[in-house]
């Protein structure tokens, strides 16, 4: 893996001034957990639509933001009782605790399950492990257990310690608590006598004696890491990493320097002294990044927070401190003077987690694994579910959609149709148009200045995949030319650099936008929102009017649809419908009932094919890399061998009016 270099170049759209992008990057500031996990205002219309994640954490149901902290208390006496308490930062009272006693070795013999003698072993007993129900499901009970094990290991450093506990569980939840303790390294005592208890609450409980050996080569070693939440100079919260598809992201097993006995649960910890955050597991290990881009989980005693590896042959620099930065949507002056600025909802804000080596925390959606990258990767935090999700969103992309919401209206679309549907821009063949987008970036919303793969290479790649998968030839043709509307971008950009030719998620104009429409947080910028003719579900349309009669946002694919129809091509109607609707995700991805009422029978029959095209394009886009850039010769070979004849078949091989 090549050495990482600090990359402070913050890219944007093709026509965006570099100074403006750099300004956005430099506006980063160091933030605390209270900023990262600002809870959602439930009075907002979109507050109830928190992202669906595998496990719903509900800290966000509280009115106030809080973090957690831990405290150790000793009660000297014959029993030598100790307590580790879990508190909230915003109110008094314990939300979780573990109470245990211990004593020095006794000269008493007895057999453990593995045949070892108890003689010479310190004795400990966990009396209570309790966590309020509101805080369960995030392994905070495991964290309390880990902290107690660590304290016992430190106290009886020279002796092994035999620790006992009673797992007391409701008989209707048979073995649930037993399994929990077994995952922590405990085992049921051999020949143990199980007691059945009635606590005068109408429920019957069973009490199962369990044990764990704490010391060298014991099962407790897997949970006995050296990192502790006790004495931290900042608060912490449970957190779950998600990839861009909302799936749990993990550290690859080969990057974990121990064998965890259970699934890793993460904590995000404020480090006020070092002005950053640390990611720890509830088992006491930290997430480290090295200077060459490696990301791994290890015992914190083997590595410095910001320094060299302490043990082994390697001398690579490591760091567990991540600088947390909030990035603004736009660049301050992209909306024009006096423009209304929509506040960004907390769960839509973009964040960066950067190491001291200049690399950035990321989550690979293909492998669902955490990684470090040279280029910035953004995250969105949800205070309701305590998740951070690696997103494909970037500040330039959000800026584009913000402008799209503020510009696109019924009148805007009609004006664009009046201007561009005269097709007076000039004449060009599809083959020439493909060469024209050779100098256009495939992804215009990149945050690095590298050009990356061209749009031309992507067009041929998409068509190749469609051909290899056996899709109809007209389907392959649409894949090849769907984004060629970008060639009119020079005449399309508005005074504030809004470029409608960019392939963007579209929506139906002239009626209330779908609740699920893309970037709906900007809907208050919609120029038509106060127009009584357009602000109902039906808007200016009638039932079953057909999608052909709908006014869609003005985009590059929308222009290509009308251009191909104007030039009397022979592309089947299904192909033209795919071209026009493949970005209307409100219809085929979210099942919008409003749009469904507009659909004709022909629209409904085409829906599955539109969805297939959309998913295939997304698959190709996700897997497309710089290594797949095609030369002029490569493109010409593909055109001559496969697509020229298809274009001729459907009347697209000649000169077209644009």
């Amino acid at each position: 893996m090549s050495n990482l270099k600090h990359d402070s170049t913050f890219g944007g759209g093709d026509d965006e001034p570099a100074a403006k992008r750099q300004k956005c990057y430099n506006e980063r500031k160091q933030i605390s957990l209270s900023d990262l996990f600002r809870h959602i205002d439930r009075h907002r219309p979109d507050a109830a639509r928190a992202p669906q994640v595998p496990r719903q954490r509900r800290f966000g149901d509280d009115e106030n933001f809080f973090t957690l902290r831990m405290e150790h208390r000793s009660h000297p006496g014959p029993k030598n009782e100790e307590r580790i308490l879990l508190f909230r930062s915003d109110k008094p009272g314990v939300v979780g605790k573990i109470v245990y006693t211990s004593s020095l070795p006794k000269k008493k013999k007895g057999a453990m399950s593995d045949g070892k003698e108890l003689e010479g072993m310190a004795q400990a007993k966990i009396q209570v492990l309790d966590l309020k129900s509101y805080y369960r499901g995030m392994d905070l009970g495991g964290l309390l257990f880990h902290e107690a094990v660590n304290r016992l290991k430190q106290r009886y450093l020279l002796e092994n310690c035999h620790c006992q506990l009673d797992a007391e569980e409701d008989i209707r939840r048979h073995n649930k608590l037993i399994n929990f303790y077994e995952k922590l390294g405990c085992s049921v005592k051999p020949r143990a006598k199980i007691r059945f208890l009635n606590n005068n609450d109408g429920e019957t409980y069973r009490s199962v004696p369990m044990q764990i050996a704490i010391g060298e080569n014991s099962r407790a070693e897997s949970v006995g890491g050296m990192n502790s939440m006790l004495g931290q100079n900042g608060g912490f919260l449970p957190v779950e990493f998600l990839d861009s598809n909302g799936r749990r992201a993990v550290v690859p097993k080969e990057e974990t320097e121990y064998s965890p006995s259970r699934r890793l649960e993460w904590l995000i910890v404020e480090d006020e002294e070092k002005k950053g955050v640390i990611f720890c597991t509830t088992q006491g290990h930290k997430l480290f990044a090295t200077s060459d881009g490696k990301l791994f989980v290890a015992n914190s005693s083997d590595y410095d927070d910001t320094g060299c590896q302490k043990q082994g042959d390697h001398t690579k620099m490591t760091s567990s401190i991540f600088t947390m930065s909030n990035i603004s949507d736009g660049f301050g002056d992209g909306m024009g003077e006096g423009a209304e600025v929509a506040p960004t909802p907390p769960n839509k804000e973009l964040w960066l987690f950067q190491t001291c080596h200049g690399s950035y925390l990321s989550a690979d959606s293909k492998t669902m694994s955490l990684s470090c990258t040279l280029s910035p990767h953004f995250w969105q935090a949800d205070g309701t579910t305590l998740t951070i999700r690696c997103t494909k969103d970037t500040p330039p992309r959000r800026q584009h959609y913000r402008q799209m919401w503020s510009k696109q209206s019924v009148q805007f679309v009609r004006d664009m149709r009046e201007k561009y549907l005269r097709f007076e821009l000039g004449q060009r063949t599809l083959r020439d148009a493909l060469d024209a987008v050779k100098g256009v970036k495939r992804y215009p919303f990149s945050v690095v200045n590298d050009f990356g793969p061209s749009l031309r290479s992507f067009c041929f790649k998409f068509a190749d995949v469609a051909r290899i998968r056996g899709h109809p030839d007209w389907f392959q043709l649409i894949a090849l030319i769907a984004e060629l509307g970008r060639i009119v971008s020079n005449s399309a950009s508005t005074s504030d650099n809004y470029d409608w030719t960019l392939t963007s998620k579209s929506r139906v104009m002239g009626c209330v936008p779908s609740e699920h429409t893309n970037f709906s947080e900007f809907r208050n910028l919609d120029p038509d929102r106060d127009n009584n003719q357009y602000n109902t579900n039906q808007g200016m349309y009638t039932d079953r009017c057909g999608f052909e009669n709908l006014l869609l946002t003005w985009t590059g694919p929308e222009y290509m649809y009308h251009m191909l129809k104007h030039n009397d091509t022979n592309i089947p109607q299904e192909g033209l419908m795919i071209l026009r609707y493949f970005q209307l995700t409100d219809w085929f991805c979210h099942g919008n009932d409003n749009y469904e009422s507009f659909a004709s029978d022909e629209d409904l029959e085409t829906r599955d094919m539109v969805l297939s095209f959309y998913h295939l394009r997304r698959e190709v886009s996700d897997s497309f890399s710089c290594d797949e850039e095609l030369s002029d010769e490569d493109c010409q070979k593909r055109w001559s061998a496969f697509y020229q004849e298809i274009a001729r078949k459907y009347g697209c091989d000649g000169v077209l009016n644009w």
Side-chain angles (χ1 to χ4, degrees), residues 476-493:
Q476 301 167 34
L477 181 62
I478 295 300
L480 181 67
I481 66 176
E483 303 196 45
L484 293 186
R486 293 286 300 279
I487 67 171
V488 301
S489 60
N490 289 337
S491 62
S493 295

Side-chain angles (χ1 to χ4, degrees), residues 142-188:
L143 174 64
L144 288 167
F145 185 88
H146 152 72
E147 295 287 353
V149 167
N150 255 355
R151 297 291 301 187
L152 289 170
K153 288 180 66 176
Q154 294 169 11
R155 175 180 288 273
Y156 302 108
L157 186 61
L158 301 180
E159 301 94 2
N160 288 329
C161 179
H162 175 233
C163 182
Q164 304 178 68
L165 66 149
D166 292 325
E168 196 171 290
E169 64 179 7
D170 183 341
I171 60 172
R172 293 180 302 178
R173 305 168 71 189
H174 187 72
N175 274 347
K176 185 169 184 178
L177 189 58
I178 306 298
N179 293 336
F180 169 74
Y181 282 122
E182 286 180 339
K183 289 179 180 178
L184 295 175
C186 300
S187 61
V188 177

Side-chain angles (χ1 to χ4, degrees), residues 424-444:
E424 297 174 344
L425 297 178
Q427 294 183 324
R428 182 172 291 184
T429 66
L430 290 180
R431 182 66 185 90
D432 291 339
L434 285 165
D435 281 341
V437 295
K438 171 187 176 181
V440 176
K441 292 173 66 173
R442 155 67 188 107
Y443 187 63

Side-chain angles (χ1 to χ4, degrees), residues 525-536:
L525 301 178
D526 182 5
D528 291 335
R529 68 185 184 279
D530 296 326
N531 190 318
N532 292 333
Q533 184 182 358
Y534 307 141
N535 60 13
T536 64

